[in-house]
Amino acid sequence: MALETSQPEQASQAGQPKRWDERLRAGGYKVTPQRQLVLEAIGRLDHATPEKILAAVQQTARGVNLSTIYRALDVLDEVGLVTHHHLHDRAPTYHLATDGGHVHLVCQECGNVSQVRPEAIKPLITALDEGQGFETDVAHLTVFGRCSECRGK
């Protein structure tokens, strides 16, 4: 597999390398086909559990197992290429770090996960800051409720 193809680009932050392979090397890690497959699967799936990532990776590389997925996710998370969230009481959900900050909306009835920009909850962020002196980390904010489809049933 040629690692030069399908290079997911990363936003440059404070002198950090832009390309995913450069980020791995800068973190002291090797660039491996498994890590590339995991990163590409996350990009396609968006908000995927390790099990879903495994299923996607196994379409290309049948010999990859779940422990390989978890090890790759740990490394990709450590170098800032992916982030994880606990949106359910199950395994964490991963998405590309380039997706930026957003608020996760999780339907407690159907399990659907959607997202909104932090600006959508600006009044809450402002109220917490002004009233409590509390700085909100929206990158880890999850709101549980019922989606419009489930509410319409």
Side-chain angles (χ1 to χ4, degrees), residues 10 35 46 78 92 99-100 114 146 149:
Q10 302 297 316
R35 289 177 182 151
D46 193 35
E78 185 176 321
D99 289 349
S114 58
R146 289 177 55 211
E149 287 186 32

Side-chain angles (χ1 to χ4, degrees), residues 74-134:
D74 285 345
V75 169
L76 295 171
D77 196 3
E78 185 176 321
V79 298
L81 292 170
V82 300
T83 60
H84 73 279
H85 301 278
H86 297 275
L87 303 178
H88 304 283
D89 57 354
R90 298 173 292 239
T93 303
Y94 292 82
H95 62 82
L96 296 177
T98 56
D99 289 349
H102 55 267
V103 178
H104 294 101
L105 306 176
V106 180
C107 179
Q108 292 175 301
E109 198 165 315
C110 70
N112 184 47
V113 177
S114 58
Q115 59 193 37
V116 296
R117 303 293 314 155
E119 294 78 28
I121 61 161
K122 182 101 172 121
L124 172 63
I125 294 169
T126 301
L128 291 173
D129 186 26
E130 292 174 358
Q132 305 293 318
F134 188 80

Side-chain angles (χ1 to χ4, degrees), residues 5 7 11 19 35 47 70 78 81 91 116 138 144 146:
T5 61
Q7 294 272 343
R19 293 172 24 156
R35 289 177 182 151
H47 295 99
Y70 273 104
E78 185 176 321
L81 292 170
V116 296
V138 295
F144 295 91
R146 289 177 55 211

Side-chain angles (χ1 to χ4, degrees), residues 16 21 24 32 37 45 52 64 70 82 111 128 132 151:
Q16 290 183 348
D21 56 339
L24 280 170
T32 66
L37 289 170
L45 297 170
K52 287 183 181 178
V64 174
Y70 273 104
V82 300
L128 291 173
Q132 305 293 318
R151 287 182 69 190

